[in-house]
Amino acid sequence: MMLSGEQWLAQVFRPAVAGMGRARRDRSVGVVSVDPLRLVGARLAAQVEALGDTGVLTDEQERAALDTLEEAGIMPEARSVSTAMSSSMATSSFAPVAARAGSTPVAVREPAEPLDPPTLQGVLVGPRQLGQLDGQPVTLISAELWSDRILIDLYTNPGPEHRDRRARAAREQLDWMKRQRRGQATERPGRVVLGSPLADCTWELRDEQGTAYRRTGGSAESGDHLDRQRMQWSPAPPAHSERLTLLATDTTGTTVLNAEIPIPRSTT
């Protein structure tokens, strides 16, 4: 049986979106992860675009359907970018080696001397409010004290302006892909670098002893409603230090967050 565009929207699309909304709200079925819902949303978006390309859906119907997916929070992102820094960095020595005549000697990394494995010495468990960034609370998830480092894990809500930029970039990318499939001459949208409130800041760690901390690793997670940074610093704070100061500055050099974090110490 052939369905018209409006019949497909009424009999297939809208009931599917409504069913996902009920699954998200219904506590009796447990917590429903956003990722599976986005997977279903991606399939619906692909069907909407295919029906739009073949003329079953009008441009207005296609855009309205995609808007519905976006409002329901299950619109697939045009691309998912994850950033991660190396989990650890070790000091190694370099030495010149012989090279062909007339060439420049190069440096090669010699194997580092074996080091004692790091040990966990204390954990400060959140949540603990550190302040605000762009009007949104910044929350400490945890602080971990290791024998050779300290890790600080925090998050914030990116806020509506950041979500609007992500949605606009995704929509422009999807519109361009649709025109490409239809063979329409179109200019590819410029590459949009979507940062995040935490990733856009420059972070610095201090203590009352004047220790020279350096960033040696970490990871990041950014989405529509969660912006998270897990930052690793070396060396470990001195034994007689009691408190750390975490500073964040924006691109103009203005301090936007100044938070004190107690150093976790083992009670055993």
Side-chain angles (χ1 to χ4, degrees):
M1 179 180 68
M2 296 292 292
L3 298 179
S4 68
E6 182 56 39
Q7 288 173 327
W8 181 84
L9 290 171
Q11 298 179 28
V12 179
F13 178 80
R14 296 188 185 107
V17 174
M20 285 185 285
R22 287 193 299 270
R24 173 176 283 171
R25 295 188 301 269
D26 190 355
R27 295 182 180 271
S28 66
V29 299
V31 177
V32 180
S33 172
V34 173
D35 288 341
L37 294 180
R38 284 193 180 276
L39 178 60
V40 178
R43 293 172 179 169
L44 285 175
Q47 293 179 43
V48 168
E49 292 174 353
L51 292 175
D53 291 342
T54 55
V56 176
L57 294 178
T58 65
D59 288 343
E60 290 76 12
Q61 289 174 324
E62 179 182 7
R63 181 166 295 279
L66 294 177
D67 287 342
T68 299
L69 294 177
E70 185 175 310
E71 293 169 0
I74 54 176
M75 183 67 178
E77 298 180 8
R79 54 189 172 88
S80 176
V81 179
S82 62
T83 60
M85 300 172 64
S86 61
S87 59
S88 64
M89 297 175 65
T91 303
S92 303
S93 60
F94 289 84
V97 297
R100 296 190 303 273
S103 63
T104 302
V106 297
V108 296
R109 186 183 295 274
E110 294 180 349
E113 293 294 327
L115 301 175
D116 293 333
T119 57
L120 182 63
Q121 299 182 340
V123 178
L124 176 66
V125 179
R128 181 184 293 250
Q129 297 297 321
L130 299 181
Q132 289 198 341
L133 186 62
D134 294 335
Q136 299 291 336
V138 177
T139 303
L140 178 73
I141 299 173
S142 65
E144 302 173 15
L145 175 65
W146 294 74
S147 56
D148 63 343
R149 72 194 73 174
I150 186 160
L151 284 85
I152 296 175
D153 194 356
L154 48 83
Y155 82 93
T156 188
N157 184 333
E161 292 184 3
H162 179 74
R163 287 191 287 274
D164 289 345
R165 289 196 299 269
R166 288 171 62 93
R168 185 164 53 252
R171 175 55 54 81
E172 291 176 354
Q173 185 75 7
L174 289 172
D175 285 346
W176 174 78
M177 293 169 61
K178 178 180 69 175
R179 292 191 295 270
Q180 286 288 102
R181 292 195 305 270
R182 293 179 177 180
Q184 299 173 354
T186 180
E187 183 177 352
R188 183 169 188 167
R191 180 177 177 83
V192 179
V193 179
L194 293 174
S196 68
L198 297 179
D200 290 344
C201 290
T202 299
W203 296 90
E204 183 181 355
L205 193 66
R206 299 177 182 174
D207 63 22
E208 69 274 25
Q209 308 299 326
T211 305
Y213 294 101
R214 65 186 185 279
R215 286 280 297 274
T216 54
S219 61
E221 176 186 354
S222 181
D224 286 343
H225 299 278
L226 176 67
D227 183 23
R228 182 176 182 177
Q229 285 278 338
R230 179 175 169 85
M231 297 177 283
Q232 175 178 295
W233 307 80
S234 293
H240 47 278
S241 293
E242 297 182 355
R243 191 169 299 273
L244 297 169
T245 300
L246 184 65
L247 295 171
T249 56
D250 61 16
T251 55
T252 67
T254 302
T255 300
V256 292
L257 183 70
N258 185 332
E260 289 191 349
I261 302 175
I263 298 176
R265 300 291 185 185
S266 175
T267 57
T268 58

